[in-house]
Amino acid sequence: MPNLRVAEKPYHHGNLRKALIEAGLAVLEEVGHAGLTLRAVASRAGVSHAAPAHHFASAKGLLTVMATSAFARFEAALADGRAKTDPDPVSQIRVMGRVYLEFARAHPEQFRLMFTAAKLDWRDAELLAIARMTYRHLEEIARPAADAMGANSATARTNVEYLIWSVAHGFAHLAIEHQIPKPGAPVPTDVPDIGGLLFATAHRGQAGRVKRTKAATVTAGKRNLKPRKSKAERR
Amino acid sequence: MPNLRVAEKPYHHGNLRKALIEAGLAVLEEVGHAGLTLRAVASRAGVSHAAPAHHFASAKGLLTVMATSAFARFEAALADGRAKTDPDPVSQIRVMGRVYLEFARAHPEQFRLMFTAAKLDWRDAELLAIARMTYRHLEEIARPAADAMGANSATARTNVEYLIWSVAHGFAHLAIEHQIPKPGAPVPTDVPDIGGLLFATAHRGQAGRVKRTKAATVTAGKRNLKPRKSKAERR
DNA sequence: CCACAAATCTTGTCACTGTCAAGATATACC
DNA sequence: GGTATATCTTGACAGTGACAAGATTTGTGG
């Protein structure tokens, strides 16, 4: 007799994969990284402890999809914030800092997951795609500053991107790891205004002396993949 | 018969606490965070799996001391680098960036441990002391830049400290988590030159418009402590 | 319409983890 | 020199991710 009523725990969940991702994010938000176990996620989704193995090759597989989901929300917040902000270059840099800090403070566990390479499979196409999409915002935001400073080459522009990114990321990371504020200081509400600083320098007609880098090649990663047996074949 | 020969595994280790710290750092360097278990550390130190409990209340206790040790080496590297560098403000800011990035790349696991609040007991006096000592370098390094920009108040000076710290920390963190370099770009050798940028702006006679913050109060922590029973009483 | 293959989920098990309890051994102090 | 105390070991426990094998449902070809 096939199950027609959904409320009576059918043997097959329906869309367990999606449910596990949502359960994982919920567990992460509620009990934090330490309590995020495959068994807790399975339990929350109402399935047995081994069920996740049929949808994710390993814990890393689930974490990778969760991080992809987190990146998607971050990118959406960034796009939304930019759209609602004056297109002025300095304002755009500021809003990126604000969105970065707000996201990190609102979802510190997701933020840590997004930037913990060892827990994720960075060969994953979807994760790479959303990360690339997010970086494109940075490229757009940094471009006017780079131009104003006379940063013509791709390398010089990349350096401006790294600078703006480092300020926002470093400040947000130090904030959620309780390094900022320093003892006795008030809790800051905004990321340092690197945009104002860049354009203050640029208006002086100063050439692009933001940074100096030196060659070397890019590296690649290597991680596990594929679920169990000949069964489901995603991550 | 008391043991006089050291080589024959005496029942009492002699200085197990120190040995466990060194073993812990060695395991961390060799097999990484995932392989850093109390049992692996105990095994490496040549003692049973429960021996560490007599010197550290929990795994967090050992990690806290390991992080303290890591901070001490970082502070030493920073002090050494500064001493060997031109006292010029811009040079001092640059050397801090270089030391920061070099330490993070040479000891990424220790770097992550130092900045993972949830794994450490930040009420620990020794950890707080060495962190404070390290921060003092930042205060000294940032002071000339703050002065040059007309940052008179304590808050304004702190903002300059945060800016310089954020650039170094953010860049180093993004680098060890494989976010920098972006795909296809060369591996950078230096942190963005925020010092040059700060003084380029300052020379223009620009007032301190580095950042804007807004009040709020500081928060505190709460963690476990004390080893087992009435035995050893450290961490 | 129905057998059979594939997909989905469960139960059971394994080695490993941190922590605790209790006992064994060496040291120190009176 | 004997006894309290510090130090370390053995043993056990619940909880973990992963694997194996079986149960249930779905889907598809004949």
Side-chain angles (χ1 to χ4, degrees):
Chain A
M1 182 189 299
N3 263 304
L4 297 180
R5 265 97 46 91
V6 180
E8 294 198 8
K9 278 192 169 189
Y11 195 90
H12 284 60
H13 182 281
N15 196 348
L16 181 54
R17 184 187 152 87
K18 184 180 175 187
L20 287 171
I21 299 168
E22 291 172 359
L25 289 167
V27 171
L28 187 60
E29 290 283 299
E30 292 175 16
V31 297
H33 150 267
L36 180 66
T37 68
L38 279 179
R39 293 167 116 97
V41 173
S43 171
R44 186 176 188 104
V47 293
S48 75
H49 64 90
H54 295 273
H55 295 273
F56 304 99
S58 65
K60 180 181 283 190
L62 174 58
L63 293 176
T64 298
V65 183
M66 287 170 58
T68 303
S69 170
F71 259 108
R73 276 185 299 282
F74 176 67
E75 189 278 332
L78 183 54
D80 185 63
R82 290 186 65 201
K84 292 177 179 172
T85 302
D86 192 297
D88 165 62
V90 175
S91 298
Q92 287 287 306
I93 294 176
R94 283 188 185 134
V95 75
M96 171 178 163
R98 174 158 43 244
V99 169
Y100 218 103
L101 184 59
E102 280 177 2
F103 186 89
R105 281 180 168 157
H107 311 286
E109 296 285 357
Q110 291 185 40
F111 183 86
R112 289 185 193 100
L113 177 62
M114 289 162 65
F115 296 100
T116 304
K119 287 186 173 182
L120 307 178
D121 178 9
W122 274 99
R123 301 171 314 173
D124 183 87
E126 294 183 28
L127 178 57
L128 282 170
I130 188 65
R132 184 78 191 86
M133 191 171 165
T134 307
Y135 192 88
R136 221 175 294 270
H137 284 286
L138 176 59
E139 289 175 334
E140 292 176 8
I141 290 170
R143 187 60 189 263
D147 290 343
M149 299 195 68
N152 296 321
S153 69
T155 299
R157 277 194 295 270
T158 299
N159 289 342
V160 176
E161 294 161 11
Y162 288 168
L163 172 60
I164 295 172
W165 194 9
S166 294
V167 173
H169 183 85
F171 192 84
H173 189 233
L174 290 170
I176 65 173
E177 297 302 343
H178 309 120
Q179 301 294 126
I180 285 178
K182 68 175 179 180
V187 174
T189 58
D190 279 306
V191 165
D193 185 23
I194 186 64
L197 198 63
L198 280 167
F199 279 90
T201 302
H203 291 158
R204 188 171 172 247
Q206 183 102 359
R209 53 192 293 264
V210 174
K211 194 176 64 180
R212 54 256 162 76
T213 62
K214 272 179 190 167
T217 55
V218 187
T219 60
K222 186 185 266 185
R223 312 227 185 281
N224 68 338
L225 212 61
K226 179 180 59 175
R228 49 181 309 198
K229 292 259 178 171
S230 59
K231 305 177 179 181
E233 67 220 35
R234 305 198 53 107
R235 301 198 175 91
Chain B
M1 180 192 301
N3 264 303
L4 296 179
R5 265 96 47 88
V6 181
E8 294 200 6
K9 279 191 170 189
Y11 195 90
H12 285 59
H13 182 282
N15 196 348
L16 181 55
R17 185 187 150 87
K18 183 180 176 186
L20 287 171
I21 299 168
E22 292 172 358
L25 290 167
V27 170
L28 188 60
E29 291 283 300
E30 293 175 15
V31 298
H33 149 267
L36 180 65
T37 67
L38 278 179
R39 292 167 115 98
V41 173
S43 171
R44 185 174 189 107
V47 293
S48 75
H49 66 90
H54 294 272
H55 296 273
F56 305 98
S58 66
K60 179 180 283 189
L62 174 58
L63 292 177
T64 298
V65 183
M66 286 170 58
T68 303
S69 170
F71 259 109
R73 277 186 299 282
F74 175 67
E75 190 278 333
L78 183 54
D80 185 63
R82 290 186 65 199
K84 292 177 178 173
T85 301
D86 192 297
D88 165 63
V90 174
S91 298
Q92 288 287 306
I93 294 176
R94 281 190 186 133
V95 76
M96 171 177 163
R98 174 160 40 247
V99 169
Y100 218 104
L101 183 59
E102 281 177 1
F103 185 89
R105 280 181 170 156
H107 311 287
E109 296 284 357
Q110 291 185 39
F111 183 86
R112 290 186 193 99
L113 178 61
M114 291 162 63
F115 295 100
T116 304
K119 288 187 173 180
L120 307 178
D121 178 8
W122 275 99
R123 300 172 315 172
D124 183 87
E126 295 183 27
L127 178 56
L128 282 171
I130 188 64
R132 185 76 191 87
M133 190 172 168
T134 307
Y135 193 87
R136 222 175 293 269
H137 284 286
L138 176 58
E139 290 175 333
E140 293 176 8
I141 290 170
R143 187 58 188 264
D147 290 343
M149 299 194 69
N152 296 321
S153 68
T155 299
R157 278 193 295 271
T158 299
N159 289 341
V160 176
E161 295 161 10
Y162 289 168
L163 172 61
I164 295 171
W165 193 9
S166 294
V167 173
H169 183 84
F171 192 85
H173 189 233
L174 290 170
I176 65 173
E177 296 302 344
H178 308 119
Q179 301 293 126
I180 285 178
K182 68 176 179 180
V187 175
T189 58
D190 280 305
V191 165
D193 185 22
I194 186 65
L197 198 62
L198 280 167
F199 279 90
T201 302
H203 291 157
R204 190 171 170 244
Q206 184 102 359
R209 56 191 292 268
V210 173
K211 195 175 62 177
R212 56 254 161 78
T213 62
K214 273 177 192 169
T217 56
V218 187
T219 61
K222 185 185 269 187
R223 313 231 183 276
N224 67 338
L225 211 59
K226 177 181 58 173
R228 52 181 306 198
K229 293 262 177 175
S230 58
K231 305 177 179 181
E233 68 220 36
R234 304 198 52 106
R235 300 199 176 90

